Amino acid sequence: MAALTLAAALAGAGPATAQSLAQATPGIEDAGAPDDGAVGLIEAPDDDAGAVPDGAFSLAPERSARPAGTAAPASRGLTSVPVVVELFTAQGCSTCPPADAAIAALADQPGVLTLSWHVDYWDYLGWPDSFASPPNTLRQEAYAAAAGERGVYTPQIIVDGQDTIIGAGRAGLLALIDEHATRPPAVMVSARQEGDAFVIDLTPRAAIPGGVRIELIRYLPQRTVQIEAGENHGRRMLYRNIVVGAETLDHWAARTPLRLTVRAGETGRGFPADTRHAILIQQPLRGGYPGPILAAIRLD
């Protein structure tokens, strides 16, 4: 795996605003415009889900709590953490293409980290999703359980692990991103690259009941798929930031500052050469379900 450049990936990342995203992103409306780009949804059948696969990054042995009174190193261009926008989608879902397009339009914007989780419960309609996996479905089901929902559906957009958009238009999504970007972070983050490792300092700004999970997400920047069967037969779809793996690196009580050193692991694990990586700092809810995403860091 080639060395990653954290400084370049994080440079210029700042709070997203509905107006700036609308101006900079073709196909995304201004938040003040009529909300006429509604995204439909389809409820899904029940299905089983599997375990999360191993990853290609690992915590180095020098993981340690940063001594009290020790200043965190200056970050390289990291002025704020991005708002995390998760889309649960499927190639076989007839109402997903508008949501896929909205996420694709945001994928390169500073201040936003979009992640497309392809689920497998629509494969029975005649087109097996080439990016779907049981762990992706498991994550969506866990969100649904945390919210007390009786089932899962596509498309579903979740912002920072907290707010769900169902059938909302692009303007509604931009407004929600803007609202999350202005919230004060619960965890202060600084990060820098040292050789082949990333040194990440986390400092809690308030009590975080239950602590947090530190999760590594691997995703493909983009792929184009010609769909030959099912409800989207004949469509040629562009997908962005497609999640291909996730794992929990660590649990942090979030009572004192923490310094993590994350290194690239073995390269021969079957992930494509252009796979990108991000760290999510996510608070689990009672029962272990995923909750608010308190911080996120792009590693490349």
Side-chain angles (χ1 to χ4, degrees), residues 4 44 54 91 123 141 148-149 151 158 193 227:
L4 306 178
D54 291 335
Q91 294 172 12
D123 288 359
E141 290 174 342
E149 298 173 351
I158 300 178
Q193 188 173 1
I227 300 176

Side-chain angles (χ1 to χ4, degrees), residues 19-104:
Q19 183 177 8
S20 63
L21 288 175
Q23 292 172 346
T25 309
I28 294 291
E29 301 172 354
D30 188 286
D35 192 2
D36 59 354
V39 175
L41 63 91
I42 302 176
E43 292 192 358
D46 294 333
D47 198 3
D48 294 328
V52 177
D54 291 335
F57 272 69
S58 62
L59 285 179
E62 55 266 40
R63 173 198 182 278
S64 62
R66 178 158 50 85
T70 302
S75 63
R76 297 184 180 179
L78 182 58
T79 58
S80 68
V81 296
V83 175
V84 179
V85 180
E86 299 177 86
L87 169 66
F88 292 93
T89 185
Q91 294 172 12
C93 162
S94 62
T95 58
C96 285
D100 295 318
I103 293 300

Side-chain angles (χ1 to χ4, degrees), residues 43-49 120-122 124 137 141 149-152:
E43 292 192 358
D46 294 333
D47 198 3
D48 294 328
D120 60 0
Y121 46 75
W122 293 122
Y124 77 96
T137 302
E141 290 174 342
E149 298 173 351
R150 292 184 296 177
V152 290

Side-chain angles (χ1 to χ4, degrees), residues 39 41 149 153 155-157 164-168:
V39 175
L41 63 91
E149 298 173 351
Y153 48 83
Q156 181 182 24
I157 295 174
T164 297
I165 295 180
I166 304 174

